[in-house]
């Protein structure tokens, strides 16, 4: 049972489509495997005390007859658990060996010898427990599968002291009891371990490959091929395609292959391709999440223009004549999904958006005015500093066209000029200020990345990192 939990936790830390290639790749190195094992050892030391062991029953021939016994209500009072030895088994999975495990157990006993029935409590030490196993990792129906084809176990011995009742009568025969109990414990270790692995396999089989990210999108986390196990690490290739929850469809582009470099000096490496990022943008676009309604109170007070028909008179002369001094709102949305490209240290972004303008007669009555179609492109640099994503964003181009109008034709040139000024004066400085301060890397609660390094490659972005866990902070 204990070993099953150990392996289950290990696998959980690794954590169809048009994708011919994986859009997400993850690698756990030997260094990472050792760290995971260290965390699990600490966790098991704390958790073992809560385990209730199954009762043990049998009979021992003491020369004048057979004493039937039942040991029950057993709990672990102390556990000395050396850190297991783990290694990747190339082409197969993970070899695991626990050697020198010792457990102190207390519980109750009942005996039956003819017409004599007795009971009491006992203390037992199970020492030098050894388990050797091979965990085979594979792929079944596009998800991770696990089995334990090889398992061997041994128990160095058992020492027991019986108390209460007529225990003094049976204490001389403890060696006979201990031998039987040792054999029973030895016989139960591998079947219990394999039952646990089978339970974990059933759990993996029942897991959905569609992981909900937020109310708008989900991501397909199915495997594209079997886990790649080398002597120095474990690689998982994941579909990594995003879909709109309400309007799922394939994007009008296909994934390309990419090869994530295995970093032996880091615990974990993660890689996301352009397809992964752009499928997310496409999914959010399909879900209608990439839009915002802009009111005047959202515009900086220092801006030379505000959302008021009279204020925009210098840009659109007929606007204040037709609708004098009326508040306005803009609905800004993507016409097509944004496209993001990774080009060796640089990130390029192409954005096709539209802005619909309304004069607000009241809070609920909006008068349509015009629609502007905006084409823009940006370049960005990103890096990780002290576990914060930092960088800068620069506008490369911006053009504006009049897409539709209910107030007549007007010149777009002054609006384009004003929009460029607003981007360079207000929007980009604010964005770059946030990027300069840095954005925290998202991570599982209780764990945090350290020594992280981000690289922008041709077609994908990669992050190599070490990881700190709760036990590390306590130390």
């Amino acid at each position: 049972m204990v070993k099953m939990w150990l392996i289950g936790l290990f696998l959980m830390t690794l954590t169809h489509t048009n994708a011919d290639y994986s859009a997400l790749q993850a690698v756990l190195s030997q260094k990472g495997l050792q760290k995971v094992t260290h965390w699990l050892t600490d966790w098991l030391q704390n958790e073992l005390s809560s385990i209730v062991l199954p009762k043990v029953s049998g009979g021992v021939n003491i020369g004048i007859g057979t004493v039937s016994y039942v040991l029950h209500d057993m709990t672990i009072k102390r556990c000395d658990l050396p850190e297991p030895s783990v290694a990747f088994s190339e082409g197969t999975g993970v070899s695991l060996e626990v050697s020198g495990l010792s457990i102190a157990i207390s519980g109750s006993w009942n005996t039956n010898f003819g017409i004599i029935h007795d009971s009491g409590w006992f203390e037992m030490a199970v020492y030098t427990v050894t388990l050797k196993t091979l965990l085979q990792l594979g792929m079944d129906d596009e998800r991770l599968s696990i089995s334990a084809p090889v398992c061997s176990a041994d128990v160095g011995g058992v020492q027991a002291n019986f108390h209460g009742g007529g225990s003094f009568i049976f204490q001389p025969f403890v060696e006979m009891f201990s031998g039987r109990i040792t054999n029973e414990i030895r016989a139960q270790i591998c079947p219990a371990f394999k039952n646990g692995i089978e339970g974990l396999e059933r759990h993996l089989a029942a897991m959905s490959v569609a992981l909900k990210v937020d109310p708008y999108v989900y991501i397909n986390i199915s495997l594209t091929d079997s886990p790649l196990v080398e002597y120095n690490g474990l690689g998982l290739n994941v579909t990594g395609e995003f879909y709109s929850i309400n309007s799922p469809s394939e994007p009008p582009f296909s994934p390309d292959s990419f090869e994530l470099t295995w970093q032996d000096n880091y615990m974990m490496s993660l890689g996301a391709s352009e397809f992964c990022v752009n499928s997310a943008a496409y999914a959010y676009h399909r879900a209608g999440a990439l839009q915002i309604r802009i009111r005047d109170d959202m515009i900086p007070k220092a801006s030379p223009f505000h959302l008021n028909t009279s204020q925009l008179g210098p840009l659109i002369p007929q606007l204040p004549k037709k609708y004098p001094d009326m508040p306005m709102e803009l609905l800004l949305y993507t016409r097509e999904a944004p496209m993001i490209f990774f080009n060796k240290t640089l990130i390029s972004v192409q954005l096709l958006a539209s802005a619909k303008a309304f004069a607000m007669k009241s809070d609920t009555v909006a008068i349509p005015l015009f629609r502007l179609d905006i084409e823009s492109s940006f370049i960005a640099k990103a890096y990780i500093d002290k576990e914060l994503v930092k960088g800068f964003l620069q506008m490369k181009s911006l053009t504006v066209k009049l897409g539709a109008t209910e107030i007549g034709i007007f010149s777009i040139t002054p609006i384009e000029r004003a929009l460029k000024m607003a981007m360079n004066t207000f929007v980009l400085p604010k964005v770059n200020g946030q990027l300069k301060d840095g954005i925290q890397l998202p991570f599982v609660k209780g764990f945090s990345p350290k020594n992280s390094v981000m690289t922008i490659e041709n077609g994908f972005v990669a992050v190599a990192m070490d990881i700190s866990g709760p036990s590390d902070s306590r130390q």
Side-chain angles (χ1 to χ4, degrees):
M1 181 72 70
V2 172
K3 288 78 182 179
M4 179 270 289
W5 289 345
L6 175 64
I7 303 309
L9 274 182
F10 158 65
L11 287 173
M12 285 188 288
T13 59
L14 294 179
T15 190
H16 152 93
T17 74
N18 73 6
D20 297 322
Y21 302 103
S22 63
L24 283 175
Q25 295 182 15
V27 174
L28 183 72
S29 68
Q30 180 65 36
K31 180 181 179 182
L33 181 63
Q34 293 296 142
K35 191 64 174 181
V36 169
T37 304
H38 175 73
W39 291 332
L40 297 183
T41 303
D42 289 344
W43 180 84
L44 283 171
Q45 289 280 176
N46 295 326
E47 293 296 317
L48 278 172
S49 60
S50 63
I51 295 176
V52 177
L53 300 173
K55 66 181 180 181
V56 176
S57 61
V60 176
N61 191 325
I62 61 174
I64 57 174
T66 298
V67 176
S68 299
Y69 65 90
V70 178
L71 306 182
H72 57 93
D73 296 328
M74 293 187 289
T75 57
I76 296 176
K77 296 300 183 183
R78 179 180 173 182
C79 173
D80 294 324
L81 176 62
E83 191 159 300
S85 174
V86 290
F88 291 110
S89 177
E90 190 166 358
T92 305
V94 177
S95 63
L96 182 145
E97 180 176 347
V98 179
S99 181
L101 169 64
S102 298
I103 303 174
I105 301 170
S106 67
S108 300
W109 59 266
N110 293 90
T111 57
N112 181 8
F113 182 58
I115 61 172
I116 303 175
H117 302 274
D118 211 346
S119 63
W121 61 280
F122 69 91
E123 299 165 330
M124 181 184 299
V126 182
Y127 55 90
T128 321
V129 178
T130 300
L131 170 71
K132 296 181 181 180
T133 187
L134 177 65
L135 298 175
Q136 185 169 312
L137 303 177
M139 181 176 69
D140 184 8
D141 196 22
E142 300 179 333
R143 51 89 185 166
L144 184 68
S145 65
I146 178 173
S147 61
V150 178
C151 180
S152 63
D154 197 11
V155 177
V158 173
Q159 292 181 345
N161 289 309
F162 293 84
H163 307 277
S167 59
F168 65 92
I169 299 175
F170 301 105
Q171 193 65 47
F173 304 104
V174 163
E175 288 188 7
M176 297 181 184
F177 280 87
S178 298
R180 178 62 181 270
I181 294 169
T182 298
N183 291 335
E184 290 191 10
I185 292 176
R186 181 186 297 112
Q188 290 179 11
I189 291 176
C190 279
F193 177 82
K194 289 189 174 183
N195 285 339
I197 293 298
E198 290 171 1
L200 179 58
E201 168 64 15
R202 289 191 295 271
H203 176 71
L204 291 172
M207 288 178 60
S208 173
V209 296
L211 178 64
K212 184 177 179 181
V213 177
D214 56 31
Y216 300 104
V217 303
Y218 68 90
I219 182 174
N220 186 325
I221 57 171
S222 61
L223 299 182
T224 59
D225 46 48
S226 297
L228 178 61
V229 185
E230 302 286 354
Y231 73 93
N232 62 335
L234 165 67
L236 295 178
N237 294 329
V238 180
T239 298
E241 183 174 353
F242 288 82
Y243 292 90
S244 163
I245 291 176
N246 295 326
S247 182
S249 66
E250 298 292 346
F253 46 84
S254 299
D256 292 321
S257 63
F258 75 98
E259 186 173 345
L260 179 65
T261 302
W262 290 31
Q263 303 282 357
D264 293 341
N265 294 329
Y266 293 90
M267 296 178 190
M268 180 179 291
S269 300
L270 301 172
S273 71
E274 288 176 353
F275 178 82
C276 173
V277 177
N278 287 323
S279 74
Y282 180 78
Y284 280 109
H285 172 73
R286 291 277 299 179
L290 300 183
Q291 59 178 295
I292 182 174
R293 189 170 289 272
I294 303 174
R295 301 181 307 274
D296 187 62
D297 58 9
M298 300 167 64
I299 295 177
K301 293 182 179 180
S303 172
F305 297 101
H306 284 265
L307 288 180
N308 181 281
T309 54
S310 296
Q311 287 259 343
L312 293 182
L315 301 178
I316 310 172
Q318 66 266 45
L319 183 58
K321 295 177 182 179
K322 195 167 185 178
Y323 301 105
D325 199 27
M326 290 181 66
M328 295 175 60
E329 287 189 1
L330 289 178
L331 176 62
L332 183 63
Y333 60 93
T334 53
R335 288 202 320 278
E336 297 180 12
M339 293 297 293
I340 299 169
F341 304 95
F342 300 120
N343 301 301
K344 200 66 178 177
T345 73
L346 280 179
I347 303 172
S348 301
V349 182
Q350 294 180 359
L351 180 63
L352 299 179
S354 290
K356 287 184 178 180
F358 302 89
M360 303 304 296
K361 191 172 183 179
S362 67
D363 290 340
T364 58
V365 179
I367 303 171
L369 301 174
F370 55 85
R371 189 193 79 230
L372 302 178
D373 293 336
I374 305 166
E375 294 187 13
S376 58
S377 63
F378 302 85
I379 57 173
K381 279 197 172 184
Y383 59 94
I384 295 178
D385 179 31
K386 298 178 180 178
E387 311 316 320
L388 297 173
V389 179
K390 298 183 178 182
F392 71 88
L393 183 66
Q394 178 182 342
M395 187 172 66
K396 189 176 180 182
S397 66
L398 187 149
T399 59
V400 181
K401 294 180 180 180
L402 183 61
T405 177
E406 284 79 17
I407 60 172
I409 302 299
F410 53 90
S411 174
I412 294 300
T413 302
I415 293 178
E416 183 177 280
R417 189 181 302 119
L419 187 56
K420 287 180 179 178
M421 183 182 68
M423 288 292 296
N424 288 317
T425 306
F426 299 106
V427 179
L428 288 177
K430 184 174 182 179
V431 172
N432 285 325
Q434 293 177 335
L435 289 174
K436 184 178 180 180
D437 293 337
I439 302 171
Q440 188 70 49
L441 282 170
F443 224 73
V444 179
K445 184 178 180 180
F447 296 85
S448 59
K450 66 177 184 179
N451 306 323
S452 305
V453 176
M454 174 188 289
T455 56
I456 308 298
E457 306 290 348
N458 289 326
F460 70 98
V461 59
V463 178
M465 68 185 76
D466 292 329
I467 304 171
S468 295
S471 61
D472 300 328
S473 61
R474 288 196 300 269
Q475 291 173 357

